[in-house]
Amino acid sequence: MPDMLVKLYELPDPALLVQNLSDAGITIRRVMPYEKQKCLDWVGENFSDGWMSECDVSFSNNPCSSFIATENSTIIGFASYDSTNKNFFGPTGVSESARGRGVGKALLLVALQAMKDNGYAYAIIGGVGPKEFYAKAVGAIEIEGSVPGIYRDPLS
């Protein structure tokens, strides 16, 4: 899976999407340190130990560099940045039951906005699965020659 590059200075404003989700009972917010274990458990149960490890690194940043989506006080999605590497967005995921409602796009946009606010002009989305989603949502372009990129020789 290739990496993709995003121009952070041309991001769509996430405010309307976040508000629409809020009106539907879904909250998008930065995860708090006291929620670390619940967040990591959710990522591990719904995705993978590798993603859980990457998300864990985000709690070393201040503020934490992960966002969550919640519905009825339950996590339904997450997005991390500056965890795999500096200037990398990801990992990110939304529970199967919550997909197709704009949660993933909202998490993407608020995390990329946070990266922009931290002074980055560009962001790398590492090891992209749905290339079309990122291209459409934020104009991301594939980085030629980025496979396997930083994900080479993983421990099994």
Side-chain angles (χ1 to χ4, degrees):
M1 295 183 286
D3 296 336
M4 296 184 86
L5 186 67
V6 179
K7 297 176 192 175
L8 298 179
Y9 52 85
E10 291 184 357
L11 287 177
D13 186 349
L16 181 60
L17 180 55
V18 170
Q19 183 60 54
N20 288 342
L21 288 170
S22 179
D23 293 346
I26 297 171
T27 301
I28 305 291
R29 64 176 176 81
R30 193 177 296 270
V31 68
M32 299 300 292
Y34 56 82
E35 299 168 312
K36 177 181 178 178
Q37 199 57 56
K38 286 186 181 193
C39 182
L40 295 178
D41 289 347
W42 186 85
V43 172
E45 290 167 11
N46 288 274
F47 296 99
S48 71
D49 288 346
W51 281 16
M52 182 177 63
S53 294
E54 289 176 290
C55 184
D56 188 20
V57 171
S58 74
F59 285 91
S60 298
N61 298 321
N62 189 10
C64 177
S65 58
S66 284
F67 288 85
I68 54 173
T70 62
E71 186 172 36
N72 300 317
S73 298
T74 301
I75 298 172
I76 60 170
F78 84 106
S80 300
Y81 67 94
D82 279 356
S83 60
T84 308
N85 274 333
K86 288 282 190 187
N87 201 30
F88 264 62
F89 168 81
T92 186
V94 174
S95 64
E96 287 188 34
S97 62
R99 292 178 189 167
R101 297 165 62 191
V103 174
K105 183 176 181 180
L107 287 165
L108 169 68
L109 290 174
V110 297
L112 291 177
Q113 183 64 51
M115 293 176 77
K116 178 182 176 186
D117 293 345
N118 284 343
Y120 293 115
Y122 298 89
I124 298 165
I125 304 172
V128 173
K131 290 190 300 187
E132 298 77 17
F133 168 76
Y134 291 108
K136 183 178 178 183
V138 293
I141 59 170
E142 186 173 333
I143 300 173
E144 188 175 330
S146 62
V147 177
I150 65 161
Y151 302 101
R152 68 188 64 201
D153 192 31
L155 299 174
S156 46

